[in-house]
Amino acid sequence: MRYLLRRLLWMGAALLGVSALIFILVRLLPGNIIDIIAGTEGQLSRSQRLEILHSFGLDRPWPVQYALWVWSMLHGNFGWSFRTSQPVAGLLVSRLPTTVELAALTVALVTLVGLPLGILASITRSARLKLAVQIVGLLGLSIPNFWIAIVLIIVASFAFHWLPALIFVPPWQDPWVNLQQMFLPILSLALGLAAVVVRMTRSSMLEVLGQEYVKVARAKGLGSRVVLLRHALRNALIPIVTVLGLQMGFLLGGVVITEQIFGLPGLGWTLLNGVYQRDYPVVQGAVMLFAITFVVTNLIVDLIYTTLDPRIRYE
Amino acid sequence: MSRVEAELQESPGRSFARVRARRSVGLGRLLQRSPVVIIGGTLIIVVVLLALGAQIIAPQSPVSQTAPPLLRPGHEHLAGTDELGRDEFSRLIYGARVSLYVGVLAVSIALALGATSGIIAGFYGGWVDNILMRTMDILFSLPAIVLAIAITSILKPSLTNAMIAIGIVYAPTFARIARGPTLAIVNLAYIEAARAVGIPNWKIMLRHVLPNVSAPLIVQTTVSLSTAILTEAALSFLGLGTQPPTASWGLMLSAARQYMLIDPWIAVLPGAAIALTVLGFNLLGDGLRDLLDPRIRTM
Amino acid sequence: MLAQKWELSNGGKTYVFHLRPNVKFHNGQTMTAEDVKYSVERVLDPKSASPWRSWFDTIEEIKVVDPLTVQMNLNAPYPGLLGSFAGMRASGIVPKGLAERENLKIKAIGTGPFKLVEYVPQDHITYARHPDYWDQPLPYLDGMTFKILTEETARVAALRAGQIQYAYVNAQDAQQLSGVPGIKVLKNLVASVTLQYINVSKKPLSDWRVRKALRMAVDTNEVIQKAVFGAAVPSGPIPSGYGDWYLDPKTLPYVKPDIEGAKKLLAEAGYPGGGFKIEIKCSPQYPAFVATALVVQDSVKKLGVDAQVVQQEWGAFVADNATVVKSGGKEGGEIFTSGNSFRPDPDGYIYPYFHTRGSVNYGQYSNPKLDPLMQQARSIFNHDQRRSLYIQIQRTLLDESPNWWWYVPYNFEATSTRVQGYSQSFTGRRFLLKRAWLGS
């Protein structure tokens, strides 16, 4: 319990750090919302510019803006988008499920495919098979994922004359259409992640299988399959789960470009667009959401450890 | 980092101390056991040679628009010309330079920033540890691509600045990897003894901590070299990485997007180049990990 | 058109508009002069910070004469006013008081053929047919949804898979799509000239001979080939195809490069063999602009000039652009690759940029001989007189090269063959979709 409290305290401090970092970063970007509104063709007079700055609160000193923002965040108010005047919290919440679904389904696909492949690679005696699995797995990791995305679109449309419906349909409205829409994006993300899982599974299994207690279990006469599943896999899962947790970062990053290419209204694309349009509240809010997700995921991962390995206790 | 992660990282440290004696067994034997390292290593060596010898090997200038655009591969242009009439073959070769520059610079920064932070954090512990690792956590929880975009937009967009951005983004990973083994050995008796005798801390870190951290760091270096190249491609895709007309595989890939349906050649080649180089680094990393981590018995 | 007829009086300083009766808004209200007054005043109000206010700022006062008559008094005659209203930027007529009731960034109520049903930013926009549209029996379509896809490949793929019936495509894909059954490709010239703004305040670009020489070194057709795959027409300051104000492309200078002439001119200006550096900015969001900059860079090498191409993310590009104008050219950059899109009046391509007191003058370009010509052209109403003035102005500008003008690209719109009755507009806008219908 005390561990949990201490952990939460540090999480809070980290989140505060993230908030300060993104607040400053976004204001250091050259250009601001005024430039985006005017573009190269519109013209805004000096008084018009001051008017815009004032209406967005950008004419106040930075520490004041920061304090106001953090204060309202703590009350659940993430501000209003500069571009659309919509409440940022509502905007992010409507986009979050898409990204979460994308990430979750990718992890699921990757686990379904990567885990067995990794186990296979760890127990097989054939050196060639091992090498093949390694190379194929790593190939997926070696190709830029925006590239895979574009190639997938072309292959699907030109070779298979198929593309899913374009207007995004959430899974609770029509799960089948939604799945179709997610299919290509998940594939393009999974190829990269799968390699990591395969590799991690393989090395983790190898390590565990070489340990003493596995040999003891074998000697006791337990069938090898039972040995594998029960003892080895369970312990091997720890570093795998660690890796998946750390890969959240990769996923959330890869998601940004994938969403843009496939036109999925998710958090990543919203964030990227917000950066391009210098929509400070949207960028700040989205990054905070990413950070909170990341930090919470880490906590969950650590807690999962306890179920996987009863030796692990927190003081 | 939680105690759990610290415990997980503990074992390499201990077994390393015992295994070190065996490491001097011939390099040749090691290579024999791992075809992965050979393949990976060869790919990398080829890329490095191309990069270093670009000026000699490349038949033409990579940036001059001397020919009609989108020519098929032919006598004068082995891989045809790109959309602006530049020799594709020469651009591919010079692209190796950019990829290596990218990888080396970004990872050097990440090592310097990250590994040192990790070692210092693990060594001193206490509030130093907390502050350093929290900072790393903060950097880590920003989506990498967004951080890279932000940094390159704030500094002038240029390849060097993009690499600095990537280096900063990768530092936390190196920090974590360095911290684990450091924590494991910092409490060992002989370290205490060394301190008691009066050996300065930095010497201890250099002579005792570093060797124990080096293996996982080497592996991570190869991994990060590969992802740095991929990240450069992504940044160039967004226009924030390599500046035209410099030839980088990422930029070539990005520019070829418009022509994918007309002349896929100029898109496939840089993509293949990236894939092979990254694959090389990954294979090398995997192979090294297998070799250097004695816990893994290859069966 | 919402105004059935209008009259000019008072030397062109007073407009009286007679509105069409019984025009219904999307919410059922009937449009009156009060709504027109409200809408236009909103654009003029500095608090609304409209970037298009300068198109209307000659309007001093708006009076409601009766529910169907509006009078606008200008502070100076401006022949471009009607064009400003037709330009479809900030000229929407909305019900009085709407801005105070609704968030007009994502909602809209107007009198057009389609009403806005839903706008999800960065995702899609949905329209439905306005049953009480004044131009009966239009529109034929029951509704439209525009899905925002920034990736060109995705658009083309969706078109081919039949998921969408209309897409804006680039020249390369247009060529590729023209053989595909079930898809037709429309092309036209759109009022949008690709150019480079030059900050003329610093050496060596302050010398017109240097600017002209650099321009002479570049093959316009090569630029067109590499930037837009050959699908464009060379252009002067007023985009080719814009009314009859533009210079005939066949008579344009610089279409063919003249390296020898350029070298001589450069030497005359005091830079024999070049020997200086320039910086060309562009943004990767517009690959055609980047390609244009790269061709220029490669071409001026022949003169011994070292041009560096600097790619900037759009926000940064715009910010630097604004800095140049604001600082009178002291900081921000030297050359900016961009484009001038639709302007309601030819004056919009000339006066703001090149008049000594122009509001978007890059680095204080000033030609005292041209100033009175520009002033005159923007205040008289005789078409032929205006035209000859603009022809003369353009020729001089081309000679002095305060900008480098390149081409007007073709605008490609690909539709399913089921879409009938749609034609393109020179403005590049799709308002003629109101005449379209879906066959089988």
Side-chain angles (χ1 to χ4, degrees):
Chain A
M1 212 351 86
R2 264 181 57 204
Y3 170 79
L4 204 58
L5 273 164
R6 256 193 319 148
R7 183 65 187 266
L8 283 173
L9 222 65
W10 279 112
M11 273 165 59
L15 286 176
L16 202 62
V18 173
S19 73
L21 184 62
I22 192 60
F23 178 87
I24 296 176
L25 266 185
V26 96
R27 278 162 179 71
L28 287 178
L29 289 172
N32 60 21
I33 185 70
I34 297 175
D35 300 300
I36 302 296
I37 291 178
T40 48
E41 302 207 85
Q43 295 165 42
L44 287 173
S45 70
R46 200 177 132 75
S47 64
Q48 282 178 309
R49 283 170 190 258
L50 289 173
E51 188 63 47
I52 299 179
L53 279 180
H54 183 73
S55 69
F56 290 135
L58 291 176
D59 52 352
R60 301 203 191 104
W62 282 14
V64 173
Q65 289 184 45
Y66 178 68
L68 283 171
W69 173 53
V70 173
W71 184 242
S72 49
M73 259 205 304
L74 290 173
H75 288 86
N77 177 4
F78 280 63
W80 293 268
S81 156
F82 286 170
R83 276 302 259 166
T84 64
S85 299
Q86 291 169 302
V88 170
L91 177 67
L92 296 180
V93 161
S94 68
R95 305 280 162 102
L96 183 63
T98 312
T99 303
V100 166
E101 191 194 346
L102 193 55
L105 286 180
T106 305
V107 169
L109 179 64
V110 151
T111 317
L112 275 171
V113 171
L115 217 60
L117 270 182
I119 295 176
L120 182 67
S122 68
I123 61 174
T124 183
R125 301 221 176 255
S126 156
R128 281 218 197 107
L129 188 57
K130 248 189 334 155
L131 192 61
V133 168
Q134 256 187 311
I135 291 188
V136 166
L138 288 176
L139 203 58
L141 186 54
S142 308
I143 306 179
N145 89 6
F146 66 85
W147 190 230
I148 299 180
I150 296 184
V151 168
L152 282 176
I153 293 180
I154 293 184
V155 166
S157 139
F158 284 65
F160 295 98
H161 297 287
W162 174 84
L163 218 63
L166 290 178
I167 305 300
F168 184 70
V169 170
W172 50 86
Q173 251 186 303
D174 188 340
W176 178 230
V177 173
N178 175 267
L179 217 57
Q180 287 178 44
Q181 294 178 324
M182 283 288 172
F183 175 56
L184 289 178
I186 295 174
L187 209 54
S188 73
L189 281 174
L191 280 168
L193 197 50
V196 177
V197 170
V198 166
R199 174 206 289 165
M200 207 58 220
T201 310
R202 181 181 151 270
S203 59
S204 181
M205 284 293 293
L206 283 177
E207 180 207 334
V208 162
L209 285 172
Q211 300 248 356
E212 297 299 324
Y213 67 90
V214 172
K215 291 191 182 148
V216 167
R218 273 232 183 94
K220 274 210 277 188
L222 292 172
S224 50
R225 219 184 290 156
V226 174
V227 170
L228 254 190
L229 284 176
R230 272 267 221 83
H231 299 268
L233 192 54
R234 214 146 164 249
N235 284 289
L237 275 178
I238 295 174
I240 295 171
V241 169
T242 312
V243 161
L244 282 179
L246 288 178
Q247 288 302 319
M248 254 324 204
F250 158 81
L251 262 182
L252 294 179
V255 145
V256 168
I257 295 190
T258 309
E259 284 179 7
Q260 187 209 344
I261 294 180
F262 287 99
L264 294 171
L267 213 51
W269 177 209
T270 306
L271 173 55
L272 188 61
N273 206 50
V275 171
Y276 286 150
Q277 305 210 310
R278 308 294 194 264
D279 200 335
Y280 297 164
V282 170
V283 175
Q284 289 165 206
V287 167
M288 288 311 295
L289 199 49
F290 269 118
I292 293 173
T293 311
F294 177 72
V295 154
V296 165
T297 312
N298 266 352
L299 183 63
I300 295 179
V301 160
D302 276 353
L303 290 176
I304 291 182
Y305 284 157
T306 56
T307 57
L308 286 179
D309 185 350
R311 287 180 304 159
I312 294 172
R313 282 264 174 275
Y314 302 108
E315 78 222 2
Chain B
M1 201 196 297
S2 61
R3 254 185 71 93
V4 178
E5 291 169 311
E7 282 179 343
L8 282 174
Q9 300 278 17
E10 229 179 49
S11 17
R14 280 206 210 110
S15 29
F16 259 118
R18 273 180 260 138
V19 158
R20 265 171 86 197
R22 272 191 246 151
R23 267 179 77 192
S24 41
V25 170
L27 198 61
R29 267 248 245 130
L30 286 167
L31 284 178
Q32 258 183 1
R33 286 197 334 181
S34 181
V36 174
V37 172
I38 297 180
I39 300 178
T42 314
L43 280 171
I44 301 305
I45 291 177
V46 168
V47 173
V48 171
L49 286 177
L50 281 179
L52 293 176
Q55 270 159 324
I56 315 170
I57 306 173
Q60 308 194 22
S61 157
V63 301
S64 290
Q65 305 172 16
T66 47
L70 302 177
L71 283 181
R72 298 279 146 192
H75 206 60
E76 235 196 273
H77 301 277
L78 287 173
T81 58
D82 71 355
E83 71 280 357
L84 289 184
R86 300 172 290 204
D87 181 34
E88 183 79 358
F89 188 61
S90 305
R91 283 178 73 77
L92 284 170
I93 295 179
Y94 274 87
R97 233 182 227 197
V98 171
S99 294
L100 281 192
Y101 176 63
V102 156
V104 168
L105 191 60
V107 173
S108 306
I109 294 176
L111 266 177
L113 263 172
T116 18
S117 303
I119 294 180
I120 293 177
F123 195 80
Y124 287 103
W127 61 269
V128 171
D129 182 16
N130 264 321
I131 299 235
L132 275 174
M133 293 322 281
R134 282 326 119 211
T135 314
M136 289 299 158
D137 273 351
I138 291 172
L139 279 179
F140 211 62
S141 46
L142 283 181
I145 198 78
V146 174
L147 193 55
I149 292 174
I151 297 180
T152 42
S153 299
I154 295 171
L155 310 168
K156 234 173 63 146
S158 78
L159 189 56
T160 314
N161 290 338
M163 290 312 102
I164 293 174
I166 296 179
I168 295 177
V169 163
Y170 287 177
T173 314
F174 283 89
R176 280 192 194 204
I177 292 187
R179 186 171 167 273
T182 311
L183 277 176
I185 73 160
V186 86
N187 291 316
L188 292 182
Y190 73 95
I191 302 287
E192 299 260 359
R195 276 201 227 184
V197 171
I199 301 181
N201 278 334
W202 66 267
K203 261 204 193 149
I204 300 180
M205 285 196 266
L206 209 56
R207 208 179 286 162
H208 298 282
V209 178
L210 204 51
N212 277 306
V213 179
S214 53
L217 276 184
I218 289 176
V219 175
Q220 183 60 37
T221 301
T222 56
V223 170
S224 291
L225 279 169
S226 66
T227 44
I229 296 177
L230 287 175
T231 309
E232 184 270 330
L235 282 178
S236 298
F237 180 80
L238 297 170
L240 295 168
T242 314
Q243 297 294 299
T246 309
S248 96
W249 294 332
L251 195 58
M252 290 163 76
L253 211 54
S254 167
R257 244 152 83 217
Q258 290 181 66
Y259 296 86
M260 290 251 298
L261 304 169
I262 300 189
D263 186 356
W265 207 227
I266 53 172
V268 168
L269 289 177
I274 293 182
L276 286 174
T277 310
V278 171
L279 183 63
F281 279 116
N282 281 333
L283 285 174
L284 196 62
D286 251 22
L288 286 178
R289 175 181 298 160
D290 284 356
L291 287 176
L292 296 175
D293 191 346
R295 293 178 301 157
I296 294 178
R297 318 276 170 182
T298 44
M299 307 201 324
Chain C
M1 284 183 293
L2 296 179
Q4 281 186 304
K5 56 183 186 349
W6 56 92
E7 293 126 18
L8 248 91
S9 57
N10 200 358
K13 294 212 297 198
T14 303
Y15 283 78
V16 175
F17 294 97
H18 299 275
L19 302 175
R20 185 184 298 272
N22 265 321
V23 173
K24 296 267 188 239
F25 282 113
H26 296 149
N27 62 0
Q29 258 182 272
T30 309
M31 182 193 79
T32 70
E34 292 281 347
D35 302 310
V36 174
K37 175 174 153 90
Y38 170 78
S39 306
V40 181
E41 278 182 346
R42 204 176 135 249
V43 173
L44 294 171
D45 183 2
K47 277 206 190 311
S48 351
S50 167
W52 313 106
R53 186 177 178 277
S54 58
W55 287 13
F56 303 94
D57 60 6
T58 43
I59 300 177
E60 224 172 29
E61 188 201 0
I62 305 176
K63 281 209 283 237
V64 172
V65 173
D66 62 52
L68 283 179
T69 314
V70 184
Q71 178 179 330
M72 300 194 195
N73 298 328
L74 279 61
N75 56 22
Y78 181 51
L81 190 69
L82 289 178
S84 296
F85 279 112
M88 282 180 287
R89 285 219 215 243
S91 45
I93 304 299
V94 300
K96 179 170 175 176
L98 189 64
E100 287 77 48
R101 293 196 304 268
E102 298 274 17
N103 175 7
L104 290 186
K105 288 179 184 168
I106 52 173
K107 287 207 200 298
I109 297 195
T111 57
F114 295 99
K115 51 184 167 182
L116 181 67
V117 170
E118 183 183 46
Y119 170 42
V120 177
Q122 301 122 39
D123 193 51
H124 67 272
I125 311 175
T126 308
Y127 297 97
R129 183 174 183 277
H130 177 35
D132 295 315
Y133 183 51
W134 60 265
D135 194 3
Q136 294 293 322
L138 302 178
Y140 301 124
L141 292 171
D142 291 319
M144 310 182 287
T145 304
F146 285 89
K147 165 75 184 168
I148 299 173
L149 280 177
T150 53
E151 192 59 39
E152 169 90 13
T153 317
R155 285 204 296 277
V156 173
L159 198 59
R160 288 186 72 132
Q163 283 291 353
I164 57 179
Q165 293 79 41
Y166 166 96
Y168 166 74
V169 297
N170 66 19
Q172 296 89 323
D173 291 321
Q175 187 200 57
Q176 220 261 340
L177 283 169
S178 42
V180 175
I183 297 186
K184 63 183 175 192
V185 179
L186 303 164
K187 88 174 192 193
N188 74 337
L189 282 179
V190 166
S192 169
V193 52
T194 301
L195 47 64
Q196 270 148 340
Y197 301 120
I198 304 178
N199 178 351
V200 302
S201 64
K202 302 206 185 110
K203 282 193 203 247
L205 292 168
S206 48
D207 187 333
W208 70 270
R209 291 169 297 192
V210 171
R211 300 194 299 263
K212 181 172 170 146
L214 292 174
R215 179 67 179 88
M216 284 164 78
V218 186
D219 181 344
T220 309
N221 283 322
E222 186 187 344
V223 171
I224 291 180
Q225 182 57 43
K226 295 182 177 173
V228 283
F229 207 54
V233 168
S235 175
I238 297 181
S240 300
Y242 187 98
D244 62 355
W245 307 101
Y246 61 98
L247 296 174
D248 185 346
K250 293 203 234 351
T251 65
L252 285 174
Y254 316 130
V255 177
K256 294 221 189 321
D258 177 8
I259 305 288
E260 289 313 311
K263 285 191 185 159
K264 258 196 262 168
L265 198 54
L266 213 50
E268 257 179 60
Y271 298 95
F276 55 88
K277 280 201 174 91
I278 56 175
E279 194 190 69
I280 306 179
K281 296 197 181 191
C282 56
S283 180
Q285 262 88 340
Y286 296 96
F289 294 171
V290 176
T292 304
L294 288 174
V295 175
V296 172
Q297 181 202 43
D298 199 68
S299 304
V300 301
K301 270 196 234 168
K302 303 180 194 137
L303 300 180
V305 175
D306 179 14
Q308 200 198 5
V309 171
V310 173
Q311 235 185 196
Q312 288 183 298
E313 183 255 334
W314 181 246
F317 180 85
V318 174
D320 279 355
N321 196 41
T323 306
V324 169
V325 174
K326 256 196 294 182
S327 68
K330 290 200 197 67
E331 30 179 81
E334 293 176 18
I335 304 177
F336 291 80
T337 316
S338 184
N340 278 349
S341 70
F342 182 76
R343 302 275 187 272
D345 187 85
D347 176 67
Y349 294 104
I350 308 286
Y351 186 91
Y353 298 99
F354 306 114
H355 192 275
T356 307
R357 286 192 316 269
S359 50
V360 204
N361 194 320
Y362 281 72
Q364 302 167 339
Y365 173 76
S366 177
N367 184 331
K369 284 207 207 88
L370 282 184
D371 278 355
L373 293 181
M374 292 190 237
Q375 193 61 50
Q376 195 187 0
R378 81 191 313 232
S379 46
I380 59 175
F381 286 79
N382 181 308
H383 185 94
D384 290 327
Q385 279 181 339
R386 289 190 81 202
R387 182 167 182 279
S388 67
L389 279 170
Y390 279 121
I391 300 287
Q392 189 184 350
I393 293 173
Q394 288 181 83
R395 291 251 173 245
T396 312
L397 286 175
L398 277 171
D399 199 43
E400 299 215 344
S401 297
N403 284 0
W404 292 329
W405 292 272
W406 300 105
Y407 57 81
V408 170
Y410 280 105
N411 171 40
F412 292 97
E413 292 169 271
T415 69
S416 145
T417 40
R418 286 179 61 203
V419 176
Q420 320 257 345
Y422 174 63
S423 47
Q424 296 176 291
S425 154
F426 185 64
T427 60
R429 314 288 164 69
R430 294 169 263 259
F431 65 93
L432 287 171
L433 276 171
K434 74 176 187 180
R435 302 233 177 95
W437 71 92
L438 269 181
S440 51

